Amino acid sequence: MKLACVVFGGASRVAVIEHSAPSRLLPPQAQDLADVLAYPQLLSGGREPFSGSAQMAAPIRRPRRNIFCVGKNYFDHAHEFAGSGFDSSAASGAVPKAPIIFSKVPECVIASGSDIVFDPAVSQAIDYEGELAVIIGKGGRAISHARALEHVWGYTIVNDVTARDVQGRLKQWHVGKSFDTFCPMGPWAVSADELDLSNTQLRTWVNGELRQNANTRDLIFDVPSIIAVLSAAITLYPGDIIATGTPAGVGIGFQPPRYLKDGDTVAIEIDGLGRLENRVVARRGEPIDPVAARLLAEG
């Protein structure tokens, strides 16, 4: 099953996707996928035919808490990033021995078709990271590796957009990955039964040029391992999102780096999950406080 959040007439609804377009609407109480996960009975309610035009929103427009993310989780990207000069964990080896977990704030989520906006006064090193994202359907704590997939409702695509210069200067990943608009998600969510985690291809294009092309079989830590590690310490809830990492081919991996520029377009496809596409826009914001500017420059 493919479900999308669609916006029309000033309201948002969950729609069943057929042939890459909304075909039927779930009951009005389902305003995005989070409602469906909280109240599964909405899936068995009446479905209203839909044939009009609508704007696609992210499947979960505002997650209830931060998006969990996994760093350096493809073998080739782990080596690529370790040699970039931005990897604070490189001293312990290119390939991590345990999952590297960080997060992005919920407010950075945007839909396919929305603009990725950055302020050149804050960062001039904007990078893309195409990723498979897990959507938790059944919560739990201390979830076993053997039963972890029972807690997965489905999957979607995420672009873990990153300000590499800020990431490097602040010596951690949270701020550089949580700028407003830095988590494109969608175009829809697909139930777990429709995806083969052991053999699914991910591709990323920038302005039509193929940059990333990898398979989920190349993950260092598989989805059950990630869920088991996270839930050993943190209770997971329906609607939690886990971005599983990006493969090689990001901008920082080129010599010299190939960062995103104003007017660029990034498109990510994962087999069975559709196409997430966003334009990059450079836009000057409010003047930066001198103290913040100095700390960002000197970090």
Side-chain angles (χ1 to χ4, degrees), residues 132-152:
L132 171 71
V134 176
I135 301 171
I136 296 295
K138 183 174 74 172
R141 174 82 186 271
I143 299 167
S144 70
H145 184 279
R147 307 196 68 172
L149 294 182
E150 297 175 16
H151 292 257
V152 174

PDB file of all heavy atoms in Angstrom, residues 132-152:
ATOM      1  N   LEU A 132      17.179   5.781   2.353  1.00  0.00           N
ATOM      2  CA  LEU A 132      15.974   5.036   2.682  1.00  0.00           C
ATOM      3  C   LEU A 132      15.616   5.329   4.132  1.00  0.00           C
ATOM      4  O   LEU A 132      16.466   5.249   5.023  1.00  0.00           O
ATOM      5  CB  LEU A 132      16.228   3.535   2.516  1.00  0.00           C
ATOM      6  CG  LEU A 132      15.130   2.601   3.015  1.00  0.00           C
ATOM      7  CD1 LEU A 132      13.914   2.666   2.098  1.00  0.00           C
ATOM      8  CD2 LEU A 132      15.645   1.169   3.130  1.00  0.00           C
ATOM      9  N   ALA A 133      14.358   5.676   4.389  1.00  0.00           N
ATOM     10  CA  ALA A 133      13.908   5.973   5.744  1.00  0.00           C
ATOM     11  C   ALA A 133      12.865   4.958   6.187  1.00  0.00           C
ATOM     12  O   ALA A 133      11.958   4.606   5.423  1.00  0.00           O
ATOM     13  CB  ALA A 133      13.334   7.383   5.841  1.00  0.00           C
ATOM     14  N   VAL A 134      13.012   4.511   7.421  1.00  0.00           N
ATOM     15  CA  VAL A 134      12.102   3.553   8.041  1.00  0.00           C
ATOM     16  C   VAL A 134      11.026   4.315   8.809  1.00  0.00           C
ATOM     17  O   VAL A 134      11.325   5.302   9.498  1.00  0.00           O
ATOM     18  CB  VAL A 134      12.874   2.636   9.015  1.00  0.00           C
ATOM     19  CG1 VAL A 134      11.934   1.693   9.746  1.00  0.00           C
ATOM     20  CG2 VAL A 134      13.964   1.872   8.270  1.00  0.00           C
ATOM     21  N   ILE A 135       9.787   3.859   8.727  1.00  0.00           N
ATOM     22  CA  ILE A 135       8.691   4.435   9.505  1.00  0.00           C
ATOM     23  C   ILE A 135       8.210   3.382  10.506  1.00  0.00           C
ATOM     24  O   ILE A 135       7.764   2.296  10.102  1.00  0.00           O
ATOM     25  CB  ILE A 135       7.528   4.879   8.604  1.00  0.00           C
ATOM     26  CG1 ILE A 135       8.022   5.918   7.581  1.00  0.00           C
ATOM     27  CG2 ILE A 135       6.385   5.451   9.448  1.00  0.00           C
ATOM     28  CD1 ILE A 135       6.997   6.258   6.514  1.00  0.00           C
ATOM     29  N   ILE A 136       8.343   3.684  11.780  1.00  0.00           N
ATOM     30  CA  ILE A 136       7.938   2.749  12.821  1.00  0.00           C
ATOM     31  C   ILE A 136       6.408   2.703  12.918  1.00  0.00           C
ATOM     32  O   ILE A 136       5.747   3.743  12.935  1.00  0.00           O
ATOM     33  CB  ILE A 136       8.545   3.153  14.180  1.00  0.00           C
ATOM     34  CG1 ILE A 136      10.078   3.054  14.125  1.00  0.00           C
ATOM     35  CG2 ILE A 136       7.978   2.303  15.319  1.00  0.00           C
ATOM     36  CD1 ILE A 136      10.607   1.647  13.924  1.00  0.00           C
ATOM     37  N   GLY A 137       5.869   1.491  12.970  1.00  0.00           N
ATOM     38  CA  GLY A 137       4.426   1.327  13.074  1.00  0.00           C
ATOM     39  C   GLY A 137       3.972   0.840  14.431  1.00  0.00           C
ATOM     40  O   GLY A 137       2.860   1.137  14.871  1.00  0.00           O
ATOM     41  N   LYS A 138       4.823   0.069  15.090  1.00  0.00           N
ATOM     42  CA  LYS A 138       4.516  -0.441  16.423  1.00  0.00           C
ATOM     43  C   LYS A 138       5.661  -0.074  17.355  1.00  0.00           C
ATOM     44  O   LYS A 138       6.813  -0.419  17.095  1.00  0.00           O
ATOM     45  CB  LYS A 138       4.321  -1.957  16.396  1.00  0.00           C
ATOM     46  CG  LYS A 138       3.926  -2.547  17.744  1.00  0.00           C
ATOM     47  CD  LYS A 138       3.593  -4.025  17.636  1.00  0.00           C
ATOM     48  CE  LYS A 138       4.830  -4.880  17.454  1.00  0.00           C
ATOM     49  NZ  LYS A 138       4.539  -6.328  17.541  1.00  0.00           N
ATOM     50  N   GLY A 139       5.354   0.650  18.417  1.00  0.00           N
ATOM     51  CA  GLY A 139       6.392   1.107  19.322  1.00  0.00           C
ATOM     52  C   GLY A 139       6.955  -0.022  20.168  1.00  0.00           C
ATOM     53  O   GLY A 139       6.472  -1.153  20.153  1.00  0.00           O
ATOM     54  N   GLY A 140       7.994   0.322  20.923  1.00  0.00           N
ATOM     55  CA  GLY A 140       8.571  -0.675  21.816  1.00  0.00           C
ATOM     56  C   GLY A 140       9.911  -0.249  22.362  1.00  0.00           C
ATOM     57  O   GLY A 140      10.534   0.704  21.883  1.00  0.00           O
ATOM     58  N   ARG A 141      10.339  -0.949  23.377  1.00  0.00           N
ATOM     59  CA  ARG A 141      11.644  -0.760  24.012  1.00  0.00           C
ATOM     60  C   ARG A 141      12.331  -2.116  24.052  1.00  0.00           C
ATOM     61  O   ARG A 141      11.675  -3.144  24.194  1.00  0.00           O
ATOM     62  CB  ARG A 141      11.461  -0.200  25.430  1.00  0.00           C
ATOM     63  CG  ARG A 141      12.725  -0.085  26.281  1.00  0.00           C
ATOM     64  CD  ARG A 141      13.498   1.181  25.958  1.00  0.00           C
ATOM     65  NE  ARG A 141      14.768   1.220  26.658  1.00  0.00           N
ATOM     66  CZ  ARG A 141      14.964   1.733  27.879  1.00  0.00           C
ATOM     67  NH1 ARG A 141      13.932   2.265  28.531  1.00  0.00           N
ATOM     68  NH2 ARG A 141      16.155   1.735  28.423  1.00  0.00           N
ATOM     69  N   ALA A 142      13.645  -2.123  23.918  1.00  0.00           N
ATOM     70  CA  ALA A 142      14.432  -3.365  23.918  1.00  0.00           C
ATOM     71  C   ALA A 142      13.894  -4.353  22.878  1.00  0.00           C
ATOM     72  O   ALA A 142      13.681  -5.538  23.147  1.00  0.00           O
ATOM     73  CB  ALA A 142      14.445  -3.983  25.308  1.00  0.00           C
ATOM     74  N   ILE A 143      13.687  -3.861  21.677  1.00  0.00           N
ATOM     75  CA  ILE A 143      13.175  -4.689  20.578  1.00  0.00           C
ATOM     76  C   ILE A 143      14.289  -5.615  20.096  1.00  0.00           C
ATOM     77  O   ILE A 143      15.422  -5.177  19.869  1.00  0.00           O
ATOM     78  CB  ILE A 143      12.668  -3.803  19.434  1.00  0.00           C
ATOM     79  CG1 ILE A 143      11.512  -2.912  19.927  1.00  0.00           C
ATOM     80  CG2 ILE A 143      12.233  -4.634  18.244  1.00  0.00           C
ATOM     81  CD1 ILE A 143      11.152  -1.791  18.970  1.00  0.00           C
ATOM     82  N   SER A 144      13.979  -6.871  19.925  1.00  0.00           N
ATOM     83  CA  SER A 144      15.000  -7.828  19.503  1.00  0.00           C
ATOM     84  C   SER A 144      15.283  -7.697  18.006  1.00  0.00           C
ATOM     85  O   SER A 144      14.404  -7.304  17.228  1.00  0.00           O
ATOM     86  CB  SER A 144      14.554  -9.254  19.810  1.00  0.00           C
ATOM     87  OG  SER A 144      13.489  -9.647  18.957  1.00  0.00           O
ATOM     88  N   HIS A 145      16.502  -8.039  17.624  1.00  0.00           N
ATOM     89  CA  HIS A 145      16.880  -8.045  16.213  1.00  0.00           C
ATOM     90  C   HIS A 145      15.946  -8.960  15.425  1.00  0.00           C
ATOM     91  O   HIS A 145      15.502  -8.627  14.315  1.00  0.00           O
ATOM     92  CB  HIS A 145      18.333  -8.503  16.073  1.00  0.00           C
ATOM     93  CG  HIS A 145      18.864  -8.462  14.672  1.00  0.00           C
ATOM     94  ND1 HIS A 145      18.602  -9.459  13.749  1.00  0.00           N
ATOM     95  CD2 HIS A 145      19.644  -7.559  14.030  1.00  0.00           C
ATOM     96  CE1 HIS A 145      19.204  -9.169  12.610  1.00  0.00           C
ATOM     97  NE2 HIS A 145      19.836  -8.007  12.747  1.00  0.00           N
ATOM     98  N   ALA A 146      15.606 -10.111  16.009  1.00  0.00           N
ATOM     99  CA  ALA A 146      14.795 -11.100  15.308  1.00  0.00           C
ATOM    100  C   ALA A 146      13.381 -10.598  15.019  1.00  0.00           C
ATOM    101  O   ALA A 146      12.756 -11.012  14.039  1.00  0.00           O
ATOM    102  CB  ALA A 146      14.727 -12.392  16.120  1.00  0.00           C
ATOM    103  N   ARG A 147      12.870  -9.689  15.867  1.00  0.00           N
ATOM    104  CA  ARG A 147      11.484  -9.241  15.707  1.00  0.00           C
ATOM    105  C   ARG A 147      11.384  -7.772  15.313  1.00  0.00           C
ATOM    106  O   ARG A 147      10.284  -7.200  15.286  1.00  0.00           O
ATOM    107  CB  ARG A 147      10.702  -9.491  17.004  1.00  0.00           C
ATOM    108  CG  ARG A 147      10.802 -10.925  17.511  1.00  0.00           C
ATOM    109  CD  ARG A 147       9.749 -11.264  18.536  1.00  0.00           C
ATOM    110  NE  ARG A 147       8.416 -11.290  17.938  1.00  0.00           N
ATOM    111  CZ  ARG A 147       7.337 -11.709  18.573  1.00  0.00           C
ATOM    112  NH1 ARG A 147       7.421 -12.127  19.820  1.00  0.00           N
ATOM    113  NH2 ARG A 147       6.151 -11.696  17.987  1.00  0.00           N
ATOM    114  N   ALA A 148      12.507  -7.161  14.988  1.00  0.00           N
ATOM    115  CA  ALA A 148      12.521  -5.718  14.723  1.00  0.00           C
ATOM    116  C   ALA A 148      11.627  -5.330  13.554  1.00  0.00           C
ATOM    117  O   ALA A 148      10.926  -4.312  13.614  1.00  0.00           O
ATOM    118  CB  ALA A 148      13.958  -5.252  14.472  1.00  0.00           C
ATOM    119  N   LEU A 149      11.613  -6.121  12.505  1.00  0.00           N
ATOM    120  CA  LEU A 149      10.828  -5.750  11.327  1.00  0.00           C
ATOM    121  C   LEU A 149       9.329  -5.806  11.592  1.00  0.00           C
ATOM    122  O   LEU A 149       8.547  -5.212  10.841  1.00  0.00           O
ATOM    123  CB  LEU A 149      11.201  -6.621  10.134  1.00  0.00           C
ATOM    124  CG  LEU A 149      12.634  -6.426   9.601  1.00  0.00           C
ATOM    125  CD1 LEU A 149      12.879  -7.309   8.386  1.00  0.00           C
ATOM    126  CD2 LEU A 149      12.906  -4.967   9.256  1.00  0.00           C
ATOM    127  N   GLU A 150       8.910  -6.492  12.665  1.00  0.00           N
ATOM    128  CA  GLU A 150       7.504  -6.480  13.042  1.00  0.00           C
ATOM    129  C   GLU A 150       7.057  -5.092  13.510  1.00  0.00           C
ATOM    130  O   GLU A 150       5.860  -4.804  13.561  1.00  0.00           O
ATOM    131  CB  GLU A 150       7.244  -7.502  14.158  1.00  0.00           C
ATOM    132  CG  GLU A 150       7.518  -8.941  13.755  1.00  0.00           C
ATOM    133  CD  GLU A 150       7.358  -9.903  14.917  1.00  0.00           C
ATOM    134  OE1 GLU A 150       6.753  -9.509  15.940  1.00  0.00           O
ATOM    135  OE2 GLU A 150       7.850 -11.038  14.800  1.00  0.00           O
ATOM    136  N   HIS A 151       8.020  -4.249  13.852  1.00  0.00           N
ATOM    137  CA  HIS A 151       7.717  -2.903  14.346  1.00  0.00           C
ATOM    138  C   HIS A 151       7.751  -1.854  13.226  1.00  0.00           C
ATOM    139  O   HIS A 151       7.518  -0.682  13.484  1.00  0.00           O
ATOM    140  CB  HIS A 151       8.706  -2.526  15.445  1.00  0.00           C
ATOM    141  CG  HIS A 151       8.534  -3.327  16.698  1.00  0.00           C
ATOM    142  ND1 HIS A 151       7.915  -2.837  17.828  1.00  0.00           N
ATOM    143  CD2 HIS A 151       8.875  -4.616  16.984  1.00  0.00           C
ATOM    144  CE1 HIS A 151       7.892  -3.778  18.758  1.00  0.00           C
ATOM    145  NE2 HIS A 151       8.467  -4.863  18.273  1.00  0.00           N
ATOM    146  N   VAL A 152       8.053  -2.275  12.008  1.00  0.00           N
ATOM    147  CA  VAL A 152       8.157  -1.352  10.873  1.00  0.00           C
ATOM    148  C   VAL A 152       6.834  -1.321  10.121  1.00  0.00           C
ATOM    149  O   VAL A 152       6.335  -2.357   9.667  1.00  0.00           O
ATOM    150  CB  VAL A 152       9.303  -1.779   9.924  1.00  0.00           C
ATOM    151  CG1 VAL A 152       9.314  -0.897   8.673  1.00  0.00           C
ATOM    152  CG2 VAL A 152      10.649  -1.714  10.646  1.00  0.00           C
TER     153      VAL A 152
END
